[in-house]
Amino acid sequence: MGDFEDEDFGGFSATGQRILGDRVGAERHKQRLGESIAGDRRETSPYELSFLDDIEWRLLCKTTLGTKELTKFKEAIHNNYFFEMFVEDLPMWGYIGDFEDEDAILGEMEGSHTYLFPHLHFKIGTNMGQIVSVTVTTERDRRVDITNVHKPTTVQFSYSVEWFEDHELPWKMRMTRYADSRFLPGSFEIHWLSIINSFVLVLLLTAFLTIILMRVLKNDFSRYMELDDESMEEEEVRLYSPL
C-alpha cells in the first residue's frame, strides 16, 4: 500500500515538516474543486504501510528541536492546531500536542506544561479485503515536554499500525461514521461562513458601483441633452431670422 496523504494547515503538518523544513520527495496531491474552495492542500506523508501488515513501532525521523522550532510547535498546540490525514480517501484527525494546568484567562502559568505528541497509532479496519475505517490516536506515555522552549529537545517521531476486521461496516457505508465527527462542524461552518461573506461583499460592491455609475451617466446624459436643445434653438433662429 502507498503513502498516507497529509493535509497542510497554515504551515503546520502532521509530522511537523512545515516547521522543521520542507520534506524532500513529498508530492502535492491534485486538488478537487471542493478542496480548492475550502482552502485545503494535501501532499504525501512519510508514513508507509503494507496491507494487513501490523507495525508495532517504526521510527519516522529523529531530530533536535531548537528554540525556533519549539516556539512554533508550542504556539500551534496552544492554538489547538490539529492535523488531517487520508488513507483511501478516508479522513482521520488528531492533535499535535496538549497542555496542562493552564488558566483559562491568564494562560500559561508557573507549573503548567506543554506536551508534543511525536508518536501516532493508526488503526485500520477492513471488510472483504477493502479498507472501510481509519482512525489515528496519540499515546500520552510517549509525549515530550516542550514547556521550556530555550532548552534544545531531541524528539523521535514514530508511528505504529494496527489492522483489524470490521465486519459490521460494509464498504459502501464507510463514510457514514464521519457524520458525527467533532472535527467536521466547526471546520465546515468556518468555510461556509467565509464563502457567504465573500459573496455578500461582492454583491454590495457591485451595487455601490452600479449606483455611482448610474448617477454619473445620468448627469452626463442630462448635460448632453441640454447642449443638444441649445444647438437646435440656435439653428432654428439662424434659419428663420429676417433678412
Side-chain angles (χ1 to χ4, degrees), residues 49-204:
L49 55 90
S50 300
F51 190 72
L52 299 181
D53 184 14
D54 290 345
I55 300 175
E56 185 175 353
W57 183 88
R58 178 178 289 176
L59 179 65
L60 190 66
C61 67
K62 183 177 180 180
T63 184
T64 299
L65 303 178
T67 301
K68 181 179 178 181
E69 293 80 13
L70 290 172
T71 301
K72 289 184 177 180
F73 269 122
K74 193 172 182 180
E75 290 177 353
I77 294 171
H78 284 258
N79 286 307
N80 295 320
Y81 272 66
F82 65 90
F83 62 85
E84 182 177 31
M85 303 181 72
F86 296 83
V87 56
E88 294 294 319
D89 283 332
L90 292 174
M92 48 188 168
W93 303 270
Y95 287 102
I96 64 174
D98 195 10
F99 50 89
E100 293 180 352
D101 301 326
E102 289 196 1
D103 189 88
I105 299 176
L106 299 178
E108 189 174 7
M109 302 176 61
E110 184 178 357
S112 60
H113 295 275
T114 302
Y115 298 99
L116 177 66
F117 296 147
H119 183 84
L120 300 180
H121 178 72
F122 301 102
K123 192 172 182 180
I124 305 175
T126 61
N127 189 351
M128 302 292 292
Q130 294 178 310
I131 297 176
V132 294
S133 64
V134 293
T135 57
V136 58
T137 56
T138 55
E139 295 189 8
R140 296 177 60 88
D141 294 339
R142 299 185 181 183
R143 61 185 182 177
V144 177
D145 192 337
I146 60 170
T147 305
N148 184 7
V149 297
H150 301 291
K151 177 184 177 181
T153 304
T154 301
V155 179
Q156 289 189 144
F157 290 94
S158 59
Y159 66 101
S160 55
V161 181
E162 176 186 355
W163 295 82
F164 71 99
E165 286 289 333
D166 194 352
H167 298 291
E168 297 180 357
L169 183 63
W171 186 85
K172 63 179 180 179
M173 300 294 293
R174 62 182 187 152
M175 297 301 295
T176 57
R177 291 185 177 179
Y178 299 99
D180 299 328
S181 174
R182 62 191 178 94
F183 282 95
L184 292 179
S187 177
F188 282 0
E189 181 180 357
I190 294 174
H191 291 160
W192 280 114
L193 183 60
S194 300
I195 294 173
I196 293 173
N197 286 339
S198 300
F199 183 72
V200 172
L201 181 61
V202 170
L203 290 179
L204 290 176

